Amino acid sequence: QARSVFLLAQLGSEGIALVEKRLRDSDPQMRVAAFRALRATGSKFMSHAAKMAKDSSPAVRREVALALRDVPFGEMKEIMLDLVDGYDGKDRWYLEAIGTSAALKEAKAYAYLKNKRGNNPSDWSKSFADVVWRLHPESAVGEMKAYAMDTSKGTQSRVDMLTAIAYVKSEVGGRAMVDVALNAEGAEVTTRARWF
């Protein structure tokens, strides 16, 4: 069935119309195949991506995220917001797909998402903190440090955020890590910060 979908997508407007119907198929794998086939032809790609970013299946939404990698940020930011909203805080493959969608545009993505969903690190949900962890731009170091020092957050989440700070290869990241090591509460957090 997937092979026939890819063939139909190459057969002009009638074939494309049939493939577009498969975007509503009950089988998520068929929806993924239809999205891939339409993407390969370039047929209304961003329009389809915007719709499929709200799909009930995480597999379909992951496919959309991966497809956005080379799309300029200004064109994909609303779709990315839907994808972030669909992240359950558990699916590591989904989180990686979000990160891939923002490749080489992490700072822009973080600024946009922060403005829309999380200005204050103390209000970050676990899923939003995971997204920030995955993006980890230098511009987020202040908020990541605040999250790592916030004793209302779980110890493992705070330690995970230290890993994100450690990936920021700049003086800003280094100074943040030293500040956490010297001033944070919680033995595990300070021990990890000192290790970094």
Side-chain angles (χ1 to χ4, degrees), residues 3 15 44 58 65 70 87 102 129 139 182:
R3 288 187 183 122
K44 301 182 200 169
D70 297 321
Y87 172 56
S139 57
L182 295 175

Side-chain angles (χ1 to χ4, degrees), residues 72-99:
F73 185 72
E75 296 175 30
M76 56 85 79
K77 62 184 182 181
E78 294 297 326
I79 298 171
M80 184 184 191
L81 186 61
D82 287 333
L83 293 169
V84 168
D85 288 345
Y87 172 56
D88 66 1
K90 299 174 188 167
D91 185 341
R92 181 58 190 264
W93 295 112
Y94 192 102
L95 180 60
E96 288 302 315
I98 290 171

Side-chain angles (χ1 to χ4, degrees), residues 104-173:
L104 303 179
K105 39 195 174 191
E106 292 90 351
K108 288 179 183 177
Y110 172 69
Y112 180 74
L113 293 171
K114 179 178 122 172
N115 183 49
K116 293 288 187 179
R117 294 292 184 262
N119 273 321
N120 189 344
S122 64
D123 297 332
W124 288 357
S125 64
K126 161 102 170 50
S127 60
F128 189 77
D130 285 353
V131 171
V132 175
W133 171 89
R134 178 57 182 82
L135 297 176
H136 62 273
E138 184 176 338
S139 57
V141 167
E143 289 88 1
M144 291 190 297
K145 180 181 88 169
Y147 187 93
M149 294 180 80
D150 186 346
T151 56
S152 72
K153 304 297 181 190
T155 300
Q156 188 59 52
S157 292
R158 295 171 65 203
V159 168
D160 289 345
M161 199 58 76
L162 290 176
T163 304
I165 295 170
Y167 276 106
V168 177
K169 306 284 189 211
S170 73
E171 183 179 343
V172 172

Side-chain angles (χ1 to χ4, degrees), residues 1-20 22 30 33-41:
Q1 286 182 355
R3 288 187 183 122
S4 69
V5 163
F6 273 86
L7 180 61
L8 282 169
Q10 305 295 323
L11 298 178
S13 58
E14 289 182 30
I16 286 172
L18 291 170
V19 175
E20 285 175 336
R22 291 291 197 169
M30 189 53 63
F35 180 75
R36 286 179 180 169
L38 291 166
R39 177 182 175 215
T41 67

Side-chain angles (χ1 to χ4, degrees), residues 10-81:
Q10 305 295 323
L11 298 178
S13 58
E14 289 182 30
I16 286 172
L18 291 170
V19 175
E20 285 175 336
K21 288 182 182 176
R22 291 291 197 169
L23 291 173
R24 297 182 298 277
D25 197 282
S26 61
D27 181 355
Q29 293 303 319
M30 189 53 63
R31 297 196 302 273
V32 167
F35 180 75
R36 286 179 180 169
L38 291 166
R39 177 182 175 215
T41 67
S43 174
K44 301 182 200 169
F45 165 62
M46 291 302 287
S47 172
H48 296 311
K51 281 188 247 174
M52 303 311 282
K54 299 175 185 173
D55 194 274
S56 60
S57 167
V60 174
R61 298 192 309 272
R62 281 194 310 262
E63 188 65 30
V64 172
L66 295 172
L68 295 175
R69 180 184 176 119
D70 297 321
V71 175
F73 185 72
E75 296 175 30
M76 56 85 79
K77 62 184 182 181
E78 294 297 326
I79 298 171
M80 184 184 191
L81 186 61

